[in-house]
Amino acid sequence: MFKIAGIGFIVAVLSIILKKSDRDDMATMVALAGIIVVLMLVVNMVNDFFGTVKTMFGLY
């Protein structure tokens, strides 16, 4: 969870800096990259969760 919050904070700061320097296209790309990284983290966390549930209940 703290990784996701940290990535969100960094992406927000970089996006603001890039927008202030009139690089809106780069700000959009940074935001898109941040979303992709966070989605990959969430998918990994959900996979670990279901793995834990399978192990706990002995499901295969």
Side-chain angles (χ1 to χ4, degrees):
M1 289 299 217
F2 290 115
K3 286 182 186 179
I4 294 172
I7 291 170
F9 181 74
I10 291 170
V11 166
V13 169
L14 286 174
S15 181
I16 290 170
I17 291 171
L18 288 170
K19 283 185 181 186
K20 294 284 183 178
S21 65
D22 291 331
R23 294 196 176 249
D24 292 332
D25 53 338
M26 291 300 291
T28 303
M29 294 303 277
V30 167
L32 185 61
I35 289 171
I36 291 170
V37 169
V38 167
L39 283 176
M40 287 177 15
L41 285 172
V42 168
V43 166
N44 192 17
M45 292 169 89
V46 169
N47 187 26
D48 290 344
F49 171 71
F50 282 121
T52 303
V53 169
K54 281 182 182 180
T55 303
M56 187 183 324
F57 293 112
L59 302 173
Y60 291 103

